[in-house]
Each structure stands twice: as structure tokens, then as C-alpha cells.
Amino acid sequence: MENEIFQILTRWADRTEMVLNRERNRLKIGKTGDLDKSFKTRVFKQSQTTFEAQMDFLIRGRFVDMGVGRERKIESQESNRDLLSPKKARKPKKWFSRAYYGRLNDLQGVLGYQLIEASIRSVKDGLEGNK
């Protein structure tokens, strides 16, 4: 069962990375490619009964998702004044939140189904052993 859960989590992490890449491309995020290069996914066994999936990327990727931070580099004092003047807020580009949390719901469903299947097998084996 442990190996099966590890495989499910690994496939989920790979698929989630692919979905997030597709969302970044669709929304045209990351002109320099730094965000793509910084994206790293790993799955490992944290303890005997716990597995963990980590997704690491530059924090400015989350800023884009939330619509905060500056949009361009500061080049001169004149451009600084432009940044400080009240303008319309930076528009969030939801490349991470919707896709990631939607994928978490998928993982929860698959693992819940696996747990139910394992419970049914355990009960059946117990009943057949008592005959």
C-alpha cells in the first residue's frame, strides 16, 4: 500500500507541474524564463507513514498570482515617481492558486478511494478468515 501511495503522489506531482507550466504559458507569465528554471518538484518519504511532495519556485511567481509587487524594474528616479503615483492596481494572473488547489482536490479523491478500497479488502479478509 505504501509503494502504491508513493507512486500516486509522484504521478500527481508530475501532472501538477505540467498543469502549472501550461497555465504559465497560457497567461504569458515569465518573460525571462527565470520562473520556469526555478520550478522544482520532489516527492519523498518523510517518515514511515508520511509522504511529502514539495514544489519550489521563485516567490515572485506567487506575487504574480496574487497581483502584488512591481511589474517592472526600477531604472531611474523618474520611473520611481511613476511607481509611487496612484495607478490602477496590478491585475492578478491566477496561474498557481486555481490549478494547484484543484489538483489537491483530485489527489484527495484518489487517496480517499484507495483508502476505501484497502478498508474493504481488510474487512473481507477478516471475514473470510473467520469462516
Side-chain angles (χ1 to χ4, degrees), residues 1 13-14 17 26 33 36 42 44 46 49 51 63-64 67 69 71 77 79 85 89 103 105 108-109 111 114 129:
M1 179 77 175
D14 292 342
E17 184 175 352
R26 183 178 69 82
D36 291 336
R42 68 182 203 151
F44 58 93
Q46 191 173 31
T49 58
F51 297 97
F63 292 163
V64 171
E71 201 163 342
Q77 274 189 327
S79 63
S85 64
R103 295 287 304 147
N105 288 336
Q108 182 180 5
L111 291 178
Q114 291 295 328

Side-chain angles (χ1 to χ4, degrees), residues 32-77:
T32 62
D34 290 344
L35 188 57
D36 291 336
K37 292 174 195 169
S38 73
F39 209 92
K40 291 179 180 44
T41 305
R42 68 182 203 151
V43 178
F44 58 93
K45 189 173 184 176
Q46 191 173 31
S47 69
Q48 192 167 357
T49 58
T50 306
F51 297 97
E52 185 173 335
Q54 287 183 346
M55 293 186 177
D56 298 323
F57 54 90
L58 294 173
I59 192 69
R60 62 181 175 237
R62 287 291 285 146
F63 292 163
V64 171
D65 184 67
M66 295 183 290
V68 297
R70 64 175 191 245
E71 201 163 342
R72 58 189 164 90
K73 291 183 180 178
I74 298 174
E75 296 161 357
S76 68
Q77 274 189 327

Side-chain angles (χ1 to χ4, degrees), residues 3-41:
N3 192 28
E4 190 174 340
I5 291 173
F6 184 79
Q7 290 175 356
I8 289 170
L9 188 57
T10 302
R11 286 192 310 265
W12 175 85
D14 292 342
R15 175 81 173 125
T16 301
E17 184 175 352
M18 186 181 73
V19 167
L20 292 174
N21 284 335
R22 186 180 65 216
E23 285 298 303
R24 282 196 312 270
N25 291 335
R26 183 178 69 82
L27 294 170
K28 297 178 180 128
I29 295 171
K31 296 173 187 172
T32 62
D34 290 344
L35 188 57
D36 291 336
K37 292 174 195 169
S38 73
F39 209 92
K40 291 179 180 44
T41 305

